Amino acid sequence: ITRGLNAKRESKYIEFKSSFDPKSGRDWCEIIKDIVAISNTGDGVIVFGLHSNGTTSNYSIESIKSIDPALITDKIYRYTGHHFSEFQIVECEKGGSDLVALRIYPTEVPIIFENPGTYDIGDGKQKTAFSKGTIYFRHGAKSEPGSRDDIRKFVEKRLDKIRREWLKRVRTVVQAPPGTSFAVLPD
């Protein structure tokens, strides 16, 4: 969160939203796309109340502060079929302005959209934020459909984490004093 507050621009792990209307289908679709993309990419933060250059927007964050985290989980489930709760809502401050940060943690398995994220743009027309069957990742400061390379990086990162965990456990056994007993317990 501190890295996000100090940033002067958006990046692979940092997204700024100058405003957010919890009653807007457009805003929900766009924020869900960003949450999923950030989680699929690794982790990161969305800071509400900042312009894309990191300056405060003076937008009242009261409506964002009052959002129940269960509502965010429900909205994501509606489009992905996954009960995503790997996030934390944190109130913060920058330059005397109150902000809200959404800290997003990495997912164990990539999240894929099972339903399209469409919203009304007026005159009976719809815009699609994401389509059914797409998987989103962060490419720089943008949330975009994933590529084969994105999937490869995701798998490599996950395998590296598993290897580190195994090696840590092997070191524990190898460095244990003689006569130490170990028990294997289910996770």
Side-chain angles (χ1 to χ4, degrees):
I1 293 175
T2 302
R3 201 169 75 196
L5 293 173
N6 292 330
K8 304 237 184 297
R9 65 181 182 270
E10 297 171 319
S11 70
K12 187 176 195 176
Y13 304 104
I14 300 167
E15 176 73 21
F16 299 140
K17 297 292 183 188
S18 59
S19 64
F20 177 77
D21 180 2
K23 296 177 185 165
S24 166
R26 175 195 179 279
D27 286 2
W28 274 112
C29 284
E30 295 297 334
I31 202 72
I32 288 168
K33 177 174 70 177
D34 290 332
I35 291 169
V36 167
I38 289 170
S39 185
N40 283 344
T41 300
D43 66 353
V45 64
I46 299 173
V47 183
F48 296 90
L50 294 180
H51 293 294
S52 60
N53 63 2
T55 61
T56 58
S57 66
N58 296 320
Y59 176 78
S60 173
I61 56 150
E62 292 306 312
S63 62
I64 300 166
K65 284 185 355 184
S66 65
I67 294 175
D68 183 349
L71 177 62
I72 297 171
T73 297
D74 290 345
K75 295 272 188 185
I76 294 171
Y77 180 80
R78 175 180 170 199
Y79 296 106
T80 66
H82 174 61
H83 291 285
F84 182 80
S85 60
E86 291 84 19
F87 64 88
Q88 179 182 14
I89 301 171
V90 179
E91 293 181 37
C92 45
E93 179 267 333
K94 181 176 181 174
S97 294
D98 290 331
L99 307 171
V100 171
L102 186 62
R103 173 74 169 95
I104 303 160
Y105 299 97
T107 184
E108 296 285 315
V109 176
I111 301 169
I112 300 170
F113 288 106
E114 293 182 356
N115 293 302
T118 57
Y119 53 87
D120 182 45
I121 59 171
D123 295 329
K125 296 181 181 178
Q126 298 272 315
K127 180 170 181 182
T128 301
F130 47 84
S131 299
K132 178 181 178 173
T134 55
I135 180 170
Y136 273 73
F137 289 89
R138 293 288 285 186
H139 297 142
K142 298 164 101 180
S143 296
E144 298 179 321
S147 66
R148 179 178 182 270
D149 196 44
D150 291 316
I151 300 292
R152 181 189 52 76
K153 288 176 186 175
F154 183 94
V155 170
E156 286 175 355
K157 193 182 296 184
R158 182 73 182 117
L159 288 173
D160 187 52
K161 181 180 178 188
I162 291 168
R163 274 189 214 104
R164 283 192 314 260
E165 289 172 5
W166 285 1
L167 288 174
K168 180 181 173 186
R169 291 176 184 162
V170 167
R171 269 193 291 282
T172 301
V173 172
V174 169
Q175 295 172 351
T180 302
S181 298
F182 290 94
V184 178
L185 302 173
D187 283 338

